[in-house]
Amino acid sequence: MKFIRLKGNLDQRNLDNRLSYEPDIIEFYLTERDLNDQERIRDRIRQLHDRGVKPYLHHPPTYRGTYLDILSENPDARRFYHESCEALARICAEERAKCVVHAHYVHTASCGNVTRERTALLREEIRKVMAYSRDVFVWEDSTEGLFSYGCNPYLIEDLIEPLELPLTVDVSHTFISYRGDNERLRDILKRTAPYAQYYHLVDSMGLVHDSLQLGLGKIDWRMVKPLVQGKDFIFEITLSGDHSDCTPMVESARYFADIEAEERVAAK
């Protein structure tokens, strides 16, 4: 099947489930604890290379139970943010991988007081992380706050363009930030295209972070598909249980592939 591009964790059973589908790409979602065993991260990346699968990592979202924010006033959290980014930059450079990183998550300090001045402050903090490696990190947007397309009118012009920032565009995050507006989603996909290297394809009703299988939400995938094809992406769907069964991601790939088939039939 085409477009088998999946997300998982470092657990071997989880990885074996993904590999059974012969994927093109796997993204490993890391936790704070995973950084304590960096050789395990390297081993999992090497397993992917051995199978011809392109590896991505996802920077840990939390530190000691709290979501990370590059502008956090907690010195321990900021130290972890930078030390973990530096470690992952080294791993990715040596093992030939890339790493998705968030400048912040929802319910953090960067979700309040969206101003041009704070956007400039965020830009300079991101610049410090880019110094670890310009080629490794791809920066993912949030549904709210400074690094949200729908909430920050200065994000592209004052931060992304000056840094020529490599991006991960999460289609559902952008859709939610615009409260379910497909026209605005299309505009952002076009505006960010020069910087977007990677996409998270996830459906949504456009109201909350619901992470739905493709076809179960309100995103116009016929519009999205030609704007993301030719670049790397995964289907990042919320899974139940222990996350070992990635069927909703595989079904999303099937849905995405069938859009193309339907368009060919319609063209005839």
Side-chain angles (χ1 to χ4, degrees):
M1 193 194 307
K2 295 176 66 176
F3 306 123
I4 302 299
R5 302 170 178 202
L6 310 170
K7 190 166 190 173
N9 59 40
L10 298 183
D11 179 76
Q12 189 64 53
R13 178 166 169 255
N14 187 288
L15 175 55
D16 289 343
N17 169 261
R18 274 66 174 166
L19 289 174
S20 70
Y21 292 99
E22 299 184 356
D24 304 313
I25 298 171
I26 289 181
E27 179 185 313
F28 289 118
Y29 186 84
L30 303 178
T31 67
E32 174 189 348
R33 186 169 54 186
D34 289 329
L35 271 293
N36 296 327
D37 188 355
Q38 295 179 23
E39 191 55 38
R40 186 170 181 242
I41 299 173
R42 291 175 183 271
D43 172 77
R44 300 306 189 258
I45 294 173
R46 291 167 188 167
Q47 287 191 51
L48 297 192
H49 282 307
D50 288 345
R51 296 282 294 267
V53 181
K54 190 169 187 177
Y56 278 81
L57 305 178
H58 191 293
H59 183 261
T62 62
Y63 175 70
R64 295 183 177 175
T66 301
Y67 279 102
L68 288 169
D69 182 347
I70 198 172
L71 296 180
S72 172
E73 295 182 357
N74 180 333
D76 287 339
R78 288 184 74 156
R79 174 192 54 76
F80 174 79
Y81 190 105
H82 281 275
E83 289 181 354
S84 55
C85 282
E86 189 171 13
L88 291 173
R90 184 167 53 252
I91 290 171
C92 287
E94 294 171 359
E95 303 294 343
R96 294 176 292 125
K98 287 185 177 284
C99 183
V100 177
V101 63
H102 283 249
H104 66 81
Y105 290 84
V106 296
H107 308 306
T108 60
S110 290
C111 283
N113 194 23
V114 174
T115 65
R116 193 162 221 158
E117 292 73 22
R118 283 177 57 76
T119 302
L121 180 62
L122 179 64
R123 181 186 66 228
E124 296 313 306
E125 287 301 309
I126 288 175
R127 195 190 302 274
K128 294 175 185 177
V129 174
M130 292 179 75
Y132 303 137
S133 173
R134 180 167 185 88
D135 300 325
V136 159
F137 296 111
V138 280
W139 295 80
E140 182 175 350
D141 55 301
S142 184
T143 59
E144 302 173 16
L146 288 172
F147 210 102
S148 168
Y149 299 113
C151 297
N152 188 351
Y154 315 110
L155 177 57
I156 295 176
E157 182 178 347
D158 288 13
L159 192 155
I160 292 170
E161 290 179 348
L163 294 177
E164 297 182 336
L165 191 69
L167 299 175
T168 294
V169 178
D170 187 301
V171 172
S172 72
H173 290 177
T174 304
F175 188 65
I176 294 164
S177 77
Y178 283 113
R179 301 298 180 259
D181 189 324
N182 273 293
E183 291 300 316
R184 290 187 171 182
L185 170 61
R186 172 166 31 202
D187 177 60
I188 291 299
L189 290 175
K190 289 181 176 180
R191 289 184 66 193
T192 57
Y195 309 100
Q197 296 185 4
Y198 188 51
Y199 295 89
H200 284 169
L201 304 188
V202 199
D203 217 335
S204 173
M205 299 302 289
L207 301 174
V208 296
H209 193 270
D210 38 5
S211 299
L212 301 176
Q213 183 175 316
L214 266 64
L216 300 183
K218 294 185 176 181
I219 292 176
D220 181 356
W221 292 105
R222 289 179 181 271
M223 174 272 290
V224 170
K225 185 170 182 176
L227 298 176
V228 304
Q229 270 204 130
K231 294 188 179 180
D232 290 349
F233 56 81
I234 61 161
F235 301 99
E236 192 197 27
I237 317 302
T238 294
L239 304 177
S240 60
D242 64 0
H243 297 182
S244 61
D245 180 4
C246 68
T247 299
M249 295 181 189
V250 175
E251 290 303 315
S252 292
R254 192 187 310 277
Y255 179 94
F256 196 72
D258 285 348
I259 293 172
E260 185 178 37
E262 289 170 8
E263 287 174 348
R264 281 202 301 266
V265 170
K268 293 178 180 179

